[in-house]
Amino acid sequence: MIKVGVLGARGRMGAEVCRAVRDADDMELVAAVDQDDARDPLTGAEVVVDFTHPDAVMGNLEWCVGHGLHAVVGTTGFDAPRLDAVRSWLAADGASGNVIIAPNFGIGAVLMMHFAQKAAPFFDSVEIVETHHPKKADAPSGTARRTAELVAAARAEAGRAPSPDATTSGLDGARGADVDGVRVHAVRMSGAVAHQEVVLGGHGELLTVRHDSMDRTSFMPGVLLAVRRVPELDRLTIGIETLLGL
Ligand SMILES: NC(=O)C1=CN([C@@H]2O[C@H](COP(=O)(O)OP(=O)(O)OC[C@H]3O[C@@H](n4cnc5c(N)ncnc54)[C@H](O)[C@@H]3O)[C@@H](O)[C@H]2O)C=CC1
Ligand SMILES: O=C(O)C1=N[C@H](C(=O)O)C[C@H](O)C1
């Protein structure tokens, strides 16, 4: 049995993870911790899953690495300096745990990102529209940021010029956020869970790659896969693509 602890256990995702771990035949939920709870019960876990808040996750992760625990992190808000900090903790003398940080654990969402990355070099234009529930703290979503980075890298490698855009005047924000030269638009909508469209445009045609998470159970197969595999990974892994053989 894999002993699992959950950080953010009373949140939307954390509560779903607790359910999924309890239902898994090969896992045991040994600690369910939320804000202001002591972290000590997590020391009985082999793998800690974090779905908390971008402001909280770095402190949690440093603590997990310092205690030799493997960590599966779904919390968003990771940029290059944050990832460098995690790498430095993992490289410290005596550090023994591995960490996987994934902006999206939905299998369909990972495939959507992969398909967008594959398509990106073939089109003149690409923009991303993400739609989430209005209680989401960060914008754009971690998934949209990561998709933009992957799409931008694929286009740069193929020698693609930036998406054409003749805008010379406009209201702030009208053209979305610029992530590595890719425009990202964030919609916050009651009734939504997590949705993303990558729109690609070329000669007389548009291709839309779309994914919808209708329910937070959509993330659980990916979370459980990461919990099972994190002990055999090499220090820091970004995304679950490699776990899926992509
Ligand atoms: N990677 C993925 O597939 C997914 C990632 N997310 C991300 O997960 C994060 C959480 O999302 P939700 O569950 O919707 O948020 P939420 O607000 O419902 O839950 C967060 C929970 O974390 C707790 N918390 C805050 N600080 C804490 C701390 N220092 N220690 C322990 N618990 C703490 C809060 O009290 C709350 O119960 C967000 O960053 C979100 O973007 C959400 C869905 C899927
Ligand atoms: O906050 C959410 O809900 C989600 N967050 C992640 C993100 O920011 O990409 C993953 C998914 O989109 C749901």
Side-chain angles (χ1 to χ4, degrees):
M1 295 287 261
I2 309 169
K3 293 184 190 323
V4 181
V6 176
L7 273 161
R10 292 193 287 275
R12 286 177 289 271
M13 282 297 291
E16 198 65 55
V17 173
C18 288
R19 263 190 293 278
V21 168
R22 282 198 191 96
D23 288 349
D25 293 338
D26 58 343
M27 294 181 199
E28 182 188 356
L29 183 69
V30 296
V33 171
D34 205 278
Q35 194 161 21
D36 301 331
D37 295 342
R39 291 184 183 124
D40 303 357
L42 296 168
T43 56
E46 295 162 69
V47 180
V48 173
V49 180
D50 185 301
F51 281 95
T52 57
H53 190 280
D55 294 344
V57 66
M58 291 302 276
N60 287 340
L61 199 42
E62 186 171 16
W63 185 90
C64 289
V65 172
H67 285 77
L69 302 167
H70 299 301
V72 171
V73 180
T75 308
T76 47
F78 282 88
D79 55 13
R82 282 184 168 215
L83 293 174
D84 285 345
V86 177
R87 283 189 192 94
S88 73
W89 302 332
L90 289 167
D93 282 350
S96 56
N98 298 326
V99 174
I100 179 161
I101 300 172
N104 202 311
F105 284 97
I107 308 295
V110 174
L111 288 168
M112 172 267 295
M113 294 161 79
H114 184 71
F115 297 151
Q117 183 184 8
K118 289 281 174 209
F122 295 95
F123 292 85
D124 293 336
S125 299
V126 56
E127 301 206 7
I128 297 170
V129 186
E130 58 96 331
T131 302
H132 280 82
H133 59 92
K135 292 190 171 162
K136 184 163 177 57
D138 54 324
S141 71
T143 307
R145 274 177 183 245
R146 177 81 177 140
T147 310
E149 289 164 4
L150 294 172
V151 157
R155 287 169 69 85
E157 196 179 332
R160 262 277 166 202
S163 297
D165 181 359
T167 309
T168 52
S169 70
L171 291 179
D172 278 355
R175 294 289 294 115
D178 182 329
V179 180
D180 293 353
V182 178
R183 292 283 160 183
V184 181
H185 311 268
V187 179
R188 297 293 171 261
M189 189 65 59
S190 288
V193 178
H195 316 262
Q196 180 166 298
E197 282 188 4
V198 183
V199 186
L200 304 114
H203 298 281
E205 60 174 351
L206 294 179
L207 170 66
T208 302
V209 187
R210 181 180 174 102
H211 177 260
D212 297 275
S213 272
M214 318 299 288
D215 188 281
R216 291 182 178 82
T217 52
S218 61
F219 303 110
M220 294 307 117
V223 171
L224 297 185
L225 175 67
V227 167
R228 291 184 180 107
R229 298 282 299 279
V230 68
E232 77 202 36
L233 298 175
D234 183 20
R235 295 305 166 103
L236 178 61
T237 302
I238 310 296
I240 61 166
E241 291 86 333
T242 52
L243 278 55
L244 298 174
L246 294 173

